[in-house]
Each structure stands twice: as structure tokens, then as C-alpha cells.
């Protein structure tokens, strides 16, 4: 609602600065438009962070500013927003109140490819080419707040890859460390053009017996929140043995996909990399393990949808051999206790391919998009 409100106030109050704020917002949105006509929301703090958001609601804003500024890139976005048809009943009223919406659009600008964008405040990077559109995200609020809450960016997806009809909707990394949930980067650093490092360190504690002078004969202690759970155990008064677990993911964005190097250090705990592909394609080269799931070890696999495909190949640089298809206890997604304590989950749906094992590990994963050459 911010854009229409600001545009209305800009007209009523004669505030050009408010219109400029909307123009900056829409200019940023241009780089968040996926090949499927949706706007990236993985970084959102609203309910739409887990669902596709269509470009259509942006139609009047892109159209109005394209007409008033002459921007061809906004004109292209307005045409794309209207491509699926118009089902906004407010748009008719908008044209009556803002007649400029009925004027002809300027000539749409040709999209420039390849292009890169790194939004430092959202910790979100996008690389788009004629072959692949890749999103890398490391801006979750959960590491700071240690809570799953409404109003926080909680989605643990850290990469998406579009290759025409073949779409890798979500890459997530699940760890079995004190039931603290999947990898959500606490920091994201740009190492070079198209190269990023995402990191998170989790720390938990084993609580030892209370010192003799803090023990009560009646066994009644104050209720306390430990950060992971609550109990009447006087946690602040107990000696602690802390344990840490660190995950580092380096992403090198390419015109045809991405190279991942994943480092998992700390105690020997299970982990699983989950690659969720959009339904409509066929996995080839991975072993089916039931319920729409597949296992991948060190051999390559391909997800093919029509003439488009995404190839995945994993390799182990350090650590034990990867888990085979018989290890369903490892090859699964664990949402963490914030969800499971109430019987909930934020698990994805679709065709899910798992690569897993017991850390520590250093793993490489190559993601390659392949599409037919365009007909000229």
C-alpha cells in the first residue's frame, strides 16, 4: 500500500520527493522481477515471504511513472504486469481519478543482459542472463532474534535458480544441531563481482548441576527461558559447556548458474542440503526415495522440464562419504523446534532432491542451467 499512498500524497501535497521515493522503489523492484512474472519476496517480513507474488498489482504504479517520467524500463515492466490479464477492480477507479494512466506508454526499453544487483540492506543478490536467473539471499532476521515470529524475515531459502521452465524454487540447508533449525545466514559479504559468502554460527550449551550453594531442598526453581526452551531449572545459575556449529556458503554466480562451496564445522551432526524443484519436470540421475523425494550422492543429476534443464553435481572436498538413499533419517528437512513444538513446519513442496551426511564437511555443488539457443 505504500506506493499508491505516496503517489496520492505527492499529487495532493505537491511533494515531488514522495514521487521520487516511489520511483526508487520501483527501480529496485525491476531487478526483483523473475522470469515467471513474479516479484522476489524471500526477503519480505510479511506473510508473502513464503509465496509467489505476482507483478500484476504493480501495473498502475509502473504505468503511471513510465508515462510521467518517460522511463522505458518502467514501460516494459508495466506491459509485463498486464501480460496475464487485468483483474484489479480498483484500476478503473484509478483511471478516473488519475487520467494520466490512460495516456500511451513510452516505448519499452530492451532489457539489458547480463545484469547484476546486490541489495546490501536486504542482503540479496540477483544475477540475470539469457540462460539463468539466480537469487542469493542472506538477510534473515532469525539469527539476531532467535525466534520465528510474524514481522520477521524467516524464510531459510538461500538460493533460487530459474532456467526457463526448469525452476529450482528453493535451496535450503538443514542441520541437526540442538534442533535449532535450518541455515539462515547471519552475515552476507560480497567477495568480488558475483561472489558472496554467507555465514552463521550457532551456539548452544549443556547445563551442568547447580553448585551446592544454589540448590534448594524443595527442588523448586524459577522458570527461565534459555533461548531454545523454557524450564524451571535456574539456567543462569548453572555452569555451562558451550558447543558451536558454523556453516559457510560461498556462492559464485555465473551466467549459466552458480557454484556453491559449503563448509560445515563443529560436532558430528547430520545435515541435509535440500533442492526443491518446481513441479512439471523430471529428475534424472538421482535415486527416488519416496514421497516426491530423491537422493543425490557424488554423481550428476538433471532436472528437465520441456527443453530446459538444470544440472546438479556435488563433490566432497573433506569429510565422510555422503549419505546414501537408505539414510532417510539424514535425508530430510528439519524446520527446527520453533515449528515442531506446535506441530508446524515451513517445509517446501515440489520435487525435493537431498544431498546429506554427517559433518564436519566441505562440499561443492555446481548448478548449471541449459536452454535451447534462441531462434534468430
Amino acid at each position: 500500500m505504500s506506493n499508491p499512498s505516496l503517489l496520492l500524497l505527492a499529487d495532493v501535497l505537491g511533494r515531488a520527493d514522495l514521487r521520487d521515493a516511489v520511483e526508487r522503489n520501483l527501480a529496485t523492484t525491476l531487478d526483483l522481477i523473475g522470469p515467471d512474472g513474479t516479484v522476489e519476496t524471500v526477503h519480505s517480513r510479511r506473510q508473502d515471504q513464503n509465496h509467489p507474488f505476482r507483478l500484476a498489482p504493480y501495473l498502475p504504479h509502473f504505468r503511471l511513472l513510465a508515462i510521467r517520467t518517460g522511463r522505458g524500463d518502467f514501460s516494459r515492466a508495466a506491459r509485463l504486469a498486464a501480460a496475464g490479464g487485468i483483474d484489479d477492480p480498483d484500476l478503473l477507479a484509478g483511471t478516473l481519478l488519475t487520467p494520466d494512466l490512460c495516456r500511451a506508454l513510452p516505448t519499452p526499453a530492451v532489457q539489458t543482459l547480463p545484469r547484476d544487483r546486490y541489495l546490501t540492506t536486504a542482503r540479496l543478490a540477483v544475477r540475470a542472463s539469457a540462460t539463468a536467473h539466480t537469487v542469493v539471499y542472506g538477510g534473515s532476521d532469525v539469527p539476531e532474534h532467535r525466534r520465528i515470529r510474524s514481522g520477521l524475515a524467516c524464510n531459510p531459502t538461500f538460493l533460487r535458480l530459474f532456467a526457463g521452465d526448469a525452476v529450482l524454487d528453493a535451496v535450503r540447508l538443514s542441520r541437526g544441531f540442538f534442533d535449532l533449525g535450518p541455515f539462515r545466514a547471519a552475515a552476507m559479504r560480497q567477495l568480488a563481482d558475483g561472489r558472496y559468502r554467507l555465514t552463521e554460527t550457532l551456539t548452544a550449551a549443556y547445563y551442568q548441576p547447580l553448585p551446592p550453594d544454589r540448590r534448594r531442598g524443595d527442588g523448586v526453581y524459577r522458570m527461565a527461558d534459555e533461548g531454545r526452551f523454557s524450564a524451571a531449572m535456574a539456567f543462569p545459575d548453572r555452569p555451562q559447556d558451550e558447543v558451536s556449529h558454523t556453516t559457510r556458503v560461498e556462492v559464485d554466480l555465473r551466467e549459466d548458474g552458480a557454484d556453491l562451496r559449503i563448509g560445515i564445522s563443529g560436532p558430528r551432526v547430520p545435515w541435509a542440503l535440500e533442492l526443491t524443484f518446481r513441479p512439471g519436470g523430471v529428475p534424472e540421475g538421482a535415486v527416488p526415495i519416496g514421497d516426491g523425494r530423491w537422493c543425490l550422492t557424488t554423481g550428476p543429476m538433471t532436472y528437465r522440464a520441456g527443453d530446459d534443464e538444470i544440472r546438479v553435481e556435488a563433490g566432497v572436498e573433506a569429510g565422510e562419504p555422503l549419505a546414501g538413499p537408505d539414510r532417510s533419517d539424514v535425508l530430510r528437512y528439519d524446520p527446527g523446534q520453533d515449528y515442531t513444538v506446535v506441530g508446524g513446519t515451513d517445509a517446501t513442496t515440489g520435487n525435493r532432491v537431498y544431498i546429506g551426511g554427517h559433518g564436519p564437511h566441505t562440499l561443492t555443488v555446481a548448478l548449471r542451467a541449459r536452454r535451447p539457443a534462441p531462434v534468430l
Side-chain angles (χ1 to χ4, degrees):
M1 296 300 293
S2 298
N3 284 344
S5 299
L6 290 173
L7 288 172
L8 177 62
L9 290 172
D11 287 344
V12 172
L13 302 177
R15 293 276 302 275
D17 59 317
L18 298 181
R19 192 203 71 174
D20 293 342
V22 175
E23 183 175 354
R24 290 194 300 271
N25 174 270
L26 294 178
T28 299
T29 302
L30 290 173
D31 288 313
L32 300 179
I33 300 173
D36 60 351
T38 61
V39 179
E40 182 58 65
T41 58
V42 68
H43 58 300
S44 174
R45 291 189 169 107
R46 304 176 306 183
Q47 292 89 341
D48 60 8
Q49 63 184 272
N50 293 307
H51 306 286
F53 190 87
R54 297 184 306 121
L55 183 61
Y58 285 87
L59 170 59
H61 319 139
F62 273 120
R63 183 177 181 89
L64 182 63
L65 287 197
I67 291 168
R68 289 183 173 177
T69 66
R71 290 188 60 155
D73 52 354
F74 283 12
S75 182
R76 184 186 69 248
R79 288 179 178 270
L80 181 60
I86 299 172
D87 59 0
D88 181 3
D90 292 335
L91 192 55
L92 176 59
T95 59
L96 296 175
L97 295 172
T98 311
D100 279 355
L101 281 169
C102 297
R103 291 167 50 194
L105 282 169
T107 302
V110 177
Q111 189 176 36
T112 302
L113 295 174
R115 72 178 193 275
D116 292 272
R117 184 73 184 272
Y118 179 40
L119 304 177
T120 56
T121 53
R123 302 207 301 266
L124 184 144
V126 180
R127 181 171 179 81
S129 72
T131 304
H133 179 102
T134 311
V135 177
V136 179
Y137 174 61
S140 174
D141 293 319
V142 174
E144 178 182 354
H145 294 271
R146 298 194 71 176
R147 295 287 188 276
I148 302 296
R149 289 289 186 273
S150 176
L152 298 181
C154 301
N155 193 326
T157 296
F158 67 86
L159 187 141
R160 301 192 205 275
L161 174 61
F162 296 80
D165 291 332
V167 179
L168 176 55
D169 267 327
V171 178
R172 298 178 172 188
L173 180 60
S174 183
R175 294 86 44 91
F177 181 76
F178 284 84
D179 209 15
L180 289 176
F183 170 67
R184 294 179 173 92
M188 180 173 177
R189 177 185 173 194
Q190 185 174 22
L191 304 177
D193 288 346
R195 292 188 60 222
Y196 303 90
R197 177 184 294 144
L198 288 66
T199 58
E200 181 191 30
T201 296
L202 299 175
T203 301
Y206 291 104
Y207 289 90
Q208 304 303 335
L210 284 166
D213 61 336
R214 297 297 182 95
R215 298 174 189 172
R216 295 175 56 100
D218 58 7
V220 178
Y221 298 97
R222 67 182 182 276
M223 178 70 72
D225 190 314
E226 186 269 351
R228 294 183 291 128
F229 57 89
S230 299
M233 294 182 64
F235 292 117
D237 299 332
R238 294 176 178 270
Q240 303 176 25
D241 292 325
E242 289 192 341
V243 184
S244 294
H245 183 284
T246 297
T247 303
R248 293 184 179 88
V249 179
E250 293 188 2
V251 183
D252 187 1
L253 296 179
R254 303 162 45 103
E255 287 196 27
D256 62 347
D259 287 326
L260 310 183
R261 188 172 187 269
I262 302 171
I264 301 170
S265 61
R268 186 179 184 274
V269 296
W271 60 268
L273 185 71
E274 179 187 68
L275 293 83
T276 301
F277 292 91
R278 187 170 297 180
V282 179
E284 300 175 354
V287 180
I289 54 177
D291 192 29
R293 299 178 301 135
W294 283 260
C295 167
L296 180 66
T297 52
T298 53
M301 68 149 289
T302 300
Y303 190 76
R304 183 172 290 107
D307 293 329
D308 303 319
E309 64 181 48
I310 297 174
R311 179 183 171 90
V312 183
E313 188 163 5
V316 176
E317 289 188 357
E320 301 177 6
L322 296 175
D326 59 327
R327 296 303 307 272
S328 59
D329 58 321
V330 174
L331 303 176
R332 65 186 186 91
Y333 175 74
D334 181 1
Q337 65 182 10
D338 275 6
Y339 284 98
T340 58
V341 71
V342 292
T345 186
D346 65 345
T348 60
T349 58
N351 296 314
R352 289 151 291 155
V353 176
Y354 291 92
I355 305 168
H358 282 82
H361 259 111
T362 301
L363 178 77
T364 60
V365 180
L367 304 172
R368 295 290 181 271
R370 295 181 181 177
R371 304 186 63 193
V375 178
L376 301 178

